[in-house]
Amino acid sequence: MHRFRRLSLHFPKPISHAFRRFSAHQTRFDNAGPVASLLTTRAVVRFRGPDTVKFLQGLLTNDVRRFSEPPGDEAASVVPTSNLPAVSTPPVYAAMLTPQGRFLYDFFVYGPARPDQRLDESGSGPGAGSDEVEVYADVDGSVVDELLETLRKYRLRSKVDIESVAEAFSCWQRYGSNLTDKSSSAEEPEASSVGWGGAVDQSGALASRGNGLGWQWHKDPRLDCLGFRGIFPSNSIPPLVEADKETDENNFLLWRLGKGVAEGSTEIPKGEAMPLEYNLAGLNAISFDKGCYVGQELIARTHHRGVIRKRVLPLKFVDNDGNELEQKVSPGSEVMNATSGKKAGTVTTALGGHGLGLLRLAESFRGLGSLVIQGQEDVKVQAIRPEWWPSEWFMEPQQQSAAA
């Protein structure tokens, strides 16, 4: 497979004011083919040592024991690249919490293919085996130093080395239309012939020499509609990324806003956010049967009580005629229900005419066009129900209590 020179599309900062043109043409983007973004706001941390999985299992909200076990049939969710292992463990999305159950950091946890699971340097078969346990995590780059310090405080006597490898590795996302749960061969024709076990693939042999870790695209562990995510060496462009299909990561931010998905310790306020209010259970970040971890008590109690009165929602900012307004709203703005006079919630993220807000469900959908920005009554707020939400999330809090 040919590699193309990366084309960078830069947009002005700050993030809440960026991306005018893309916002205005979102419909055209929704109908376009897949694009890819280098996620410069994310960084990569490596965990290595015999206690790696045990250490992470006691800290994170999700079950990571799969990284100490042989890959299973779930590897079928992987999209092949030119150094695809025969089997692969899919990544896990998880969070680290305070002892009181508040959000601290999010993690996309990856287990690189072992040498016997990927091509050797000749590209003709599997490499030699290894017993070393190694796990990588895609984390928020703005807090990586603080994260490392926090992890090392919990390490104690655990035999695990923790270090940033942000210079060596980068995080990428592929997203857009047609990237759902289709089979990889139908969706990605170039991917159906790579790796061993199929046709002879000269580009795969070459890539195996340049990418000794066998990195590849995986379905985003949160939602199919978010596309594919991966960690790749910083000195190379990932497979299936063409020069005219690479775009600024603010495009991916706007894609996430439309789906109602917050990411990182800025969009999910560190030390304050309740994980269930930010929909982390629906985003496959929480296991309710994995056993103990830091902050588990509040999560389990809230989940089993079954009452979540506030949730993060996609927002759209419009004028009185329904026309989209850009650069009018900033994070922290209060959303009011003009009909009831009650506060509905707060804008947590804003980009152009779109955003996310932590809103009370009882106020958010009470009367069409009733939500406004406090102090900017000419700015109307449309709260949007994401398609991926389960039906029970739409129930009124009183109905939730009765159902529980």
Side-chain angles (χ1 to χ4, degrees):
M1 180 177 297
H2 299 288
R3 287 181 176 172
F4 298 84
R5 181 175 60 85
R6 177 156 50 92
L7 176 64
S8 298
L9 303 179
H10 298 288
F11 294 84
K13 303 292 183 179
I15 199 169
S16 60
H17 292 226
F19 208 34
R20 282 178 178 268
R21 189 173 68 177
F22 181 81
S23 179
H25 297 284
Q26 185 181 5
T27 301
R28 184 176 67 182
F29 179 78
D30 287 342
N31 295 328
V35 295
S37 294
L38 170 64
L39 305 181
T40 60
T41 58
R42 307 290 293 187
V44 182
V45 172
R46 179 169 61 194
F47 302 85
R48 184 161 53 183
D51 292 339
T52 292
V53 173
K54 179 181 178 181
F55 173 73
L56 292 174
Q57 183 73 359
L59 284 181
L60 303 185
T61 56
N62 216 336
D63 195 331
V64 297
R65 288 176 295 179
R66 65 174 65 176
F67 297 110
S68 62
E69 302 169 350
D73 293 338
E74 65 270 24
S77 67
V78 172
V79 171
T81 70
S82 51
N83 192 23
L84 178 71
V87 289
S88 180
T89 301
V92 169
Y93 185 54
M96 182 176 174
L97 311 179
T98 68
Q100 294 75 34
R102 304 285 178 165
F103 176 88
L104 279 177
Y105 316 106
D106 64 349
F107 296 70
F108 293 84
V109 184
Y110 296 81
R114 297 192 302 268
D116 59 333
Q117 295 172 347
R118 62 177 187 265
L119 295 174
D120 61 15
E121 291 189 358
S122 70
S124 60
S130 174
D131 294 328
E132 184 177 56
V133 178
E134 192 173 54
V135 168
Y136 289 71
D138 160 354
V139 301
D140 187 337
S142 68
V143 295
V144 66
D145 293 334
E146 175 189 314
L147 169 62
L148 290 172
E149 182 179 355
T150 303
L151 289 169
R152 287 164 182 159
K153 287 179 180 178
Y154 279 105
R155 180 171 54 182
L156 300 176
R157 297 179 181 273
S158 297
K159 296 178 181 179
V160 53
D161 294 325
I162 309 168
E163 62 178 332
S164 171
V165 289
E167 295 297 322
F169 295 96
S170 299
C171 305
W172 287 78
Q173 189 88 21
R174 289 188 79 234
Y175 55 100
S177 63
N178 302 321
L179 285 181
T180 56
D181 56 355
K182 296 179 181 178
S183 67
S184 61
S185 59
E187 177 183 55
E188 306 282 1
E190 295 181 352
S192 62
S193 63
V194 297
W196 74 77
V200 175
D201 177 50
Q202 298 299 330
S203 63
L206 292 174
S208 71
R209 299 189 181 97
N211 182 1
L213 290 175
W215 293 108
Q216 60 201 53
W217 291 107
H218 294 266
K219 281 187 178 179
D220 192 303
R222 296 169 294 181
L223 299 169
D224 282 349
C225 62
L226 293 176
F228 295 84
R229 200 170 181 109
I231 294 174
F232 297 93
S234 296
N235 61 357
S236 65
I237 302 297
L240 306 179
V241 177
E242 300 177 1
D244 61 344
K245 294 297 185 181
E246 184 183 343
T247 185
D248 190 273
E249 71 174 306
N250 276 343
N251 297 7
F252 177 57
L253 171 57
L254 193 60
W255 185 259
R256 282 195 292 104
L257 297 186
K259 311 301 180 185
V261 178
E263 181 177 297
S265 299
T266 300
E267 296 177 31
I268 311 175
K270 181 168 59 70
E272 302 176 9
M274 299 279 289
L276 297 185
E277 292 181 347
Y278 280 75
N279 304 327
L280 292 189
L283 295 173
N284 300 314
I286 300 174
S287 170
F288 294 102
D289 55 10
K290 62 162 283 185
C292 296
Y293 57 87
V294 176
Q296 179 201 23
E297 182 179 355
L298 177 64
I299 301 300
R301 184 169 66 247
T302 305
H303 172 69
H304 291 298
R305 190 168 55 206
V307 180
I308 311 295
R309 293 184 171 87
K310 294 188 295 183
R311 289 191 183 274
V312 165
L313 291 164
L315 304 179
K316 186 177 180 181
F317 310 119
V318 300
D319 61 19
N320 290 323
D321 297 323
N323 300 312
E324 184 178 322
L325 297 173
E326 297 189 13
Q327 303 185 12
K328 292 290 187 180
V329 180
S330 59
S333 299
E334 293 189 352
V335 180
M336 305 295 296
N337 188 312
T339 302
S340 67
K342 296 181 179 180
K343 178 181 176 180
T346 304
V347 177
T348 60
T349 307
L351 179 64
H354 297 261
L356 295 176
L358 181 62
L359 305 185
R360 294 184 178 276
L361 298 180
E363 298 293 334
S364 300
F365 302 106
R366 179 182 295 175
L368 183 64
S370 61
L371 298 181
V372 298
I373 297 295
Q374 187 176 37
Q376 296 176 270
E377 280 68 24
D378 59 326
V379 179
K380 307 297 183 182
V381 180
Q382 295 178 355
I384 302 167
R385 300 182 179 187
E387 294 181 359
W388 61 269
W389 273 27
S391 58
E392 58 266 24
W393 286 9
F394 297 132
M395 299 168 66
E396 291 288 336
Q398 294 82 359
Q399 293 175 304
Q400 292 181 1
S401 299

